[in-house]
Amino acid sequence: MSTNVIAPTVDAAVEGLVATNVTLGKALNAGLREAMAADDSVVLVGEDIGSLGGVFRITEGLQAEFGEDRVVDSPLAESGIVGTAIGMALRGYRPVCEIQFDGFIYPAFDQIVSQLAKMRARSAGRIKLPVTIRVPVGGGIGAVEHHSESNEAYFCHTAGLRVVACANPADAHWMIQQAIASDDPVIFYEPKRRYWDKAPVPLGPVPIDAPALDQARIARPGTDVTVVAYGPTVRVALDAATVAESEGKSLEVIDLRSLSPLDIDALTASARKTGRVVIVHEAPTFVGLGAEISAAITEHCFPQLLAPVHRVGGWNIPYPPARTEDTYLPGLDRVLDAVDSVLQY
């Protein structure tokens, strides 16, 4: 999928609207509230999402406001959560599932890949399954095993799913509403180590000039190197751009937002402008999303590239113990090293 233009920045899209300084977690909570208030068919399902408000308190207060019939505490069974959501969607509901942690989604893999992703094509478009699956993703919180996965490549490879990742409070607030309104099933990644990041957000319905769910955005314009990131690594890329600027280098940071489909036009426009590209994600680089992005940019922009596309990601090992995760996660130094490599090529 391609778009004709790169989406406007958040600031440009909300000009004239009153903004409130909130965390990414609170922005998601407010977005869920907006969607539930606007449509009675929106139902939340997940483990401990009711009176507890979820492990990260993203659904806090929603059960008290909308009742136990619309904010449903489920058994500890991810396959049951997603399987039930599919049945509810067949009956006209718009279920929003919460998977407590990224590494807990695998018991539901069969339901997602074999049923949720394929039903619309299998029925020649007659059956829609508007299910949103919220997944706290990535590392950086010092968690134990199975709590810091980056499994987006599995789902991006699965035709029939939309896969998106928010990176800031405003996008979190709008994108969750757009995902719920979509007639396609959506895997909605939330960067758990960014839940407490704050920024001004115009709370309320999605403004008409907000970026579409499948559009990338220029998080920071630049001229020398394009740095492509999504979810938790967008902030890393922006920090790298700030340091690079002090050294006389101009980095353009692209926040993908949509991982499947990719906004190919946005990626290629930036790559042609700078001639150099670095891709950053927390998942291992081996058969990661960065490989697909690199291939697409190379196929479309080979004559304009001044250096090979570089990828910076996690190492090709199981996610390590918490005390060593800083070595595993792509940080500022590794991104800047990749920037220097493409500039010196």
Side-chain angles (χ1 to χ4, degrees), residues 12 51 120 134 136 208 250 282 314 317 343-344:
S51 58
R120 194 167 188 176
R134 295 181 41 244
I208 59 173
S250 176
E282 288 193 8
I317 59 173
L343 285 171
Q344 294 166 11

Side-chain angles (χ1 to χ4, degrees), residues 233-273:
T233 59
V234 172
R235 189 167 126 189
V236 178
L238 289 170
D239 290 345
T242 299
V243 174
E245 184 179 38
S246 70
E247 301 172 348
K249 307 161 190 169
S250 176
L251 307 187
E252 176 151 293
V253 178
I254 301 294
D255 177 2
L256 277 184
R257 302 175 76 251
S258 177
L259 313 187
S260 180
L262 286 171
D263 189 346
I264 298 297
D265 281 0
L267 291 167
T268 55
S270 183
R272 290 189 180 109
K273 179 173 73 170

Side-chain angles (χ1 to χ4, degrees), residues 180-196:
I180 294 169
S182 172
D183 285 335
D184 295 317
V186 180
I187 305 294
F188 191 95
Y189 281 114
E190 304 166 5
K192 64 172 79 77
R193 65 171 159 147
R194 307 299 183 208
Y195 273 143
W196 300 274

Side-chain angles (χ1 to χ4, degrees), residues 99 101-102 105 133-137 151 187-191 195:
I99 304 298
F101 284 91
D102 35 39
I105 200 169
I133 302 177
R134 295 181 41 244
V135 187
V137 71
N151 44 32
I187 305 294
F188 191 95
Y189 281 114
E190 304 166 5
Y195 273 143

Side-chain angles (χ1 to χ4, degrees), residues 14 42 52 54 58 78 124 135 154 168 187 196 205 217 243 246 250 274 277 312 329:
V14 302
V42 177
L52 181 64
I58 304 303
E78 286 73 21
V135 187
Y154 295 128
N168 59 66
I187 305 294
W196 300 274
R217 72 181 184 98
V243 174
S246 70
S250 176
T274 65
V277 179
V312 181
L329 293 170

Side-chain angles (χ1 to χ4, degrees), residues 64-96:
E65 184 172 347
F66 294 99
E68 296 182 1
D69 290 339
R70 295 191 62 197
V71 182
V72 182
D73 277 317
S74 72
L76 303 182
E78 286 73 21
S79 60
I81 292 171
V82 176
T84 299
I86 291 171
M88 294 175 71
L90 289 171
R91 295 297 299 270
Y93 290 94
R94 289 184 176 270
V96 182

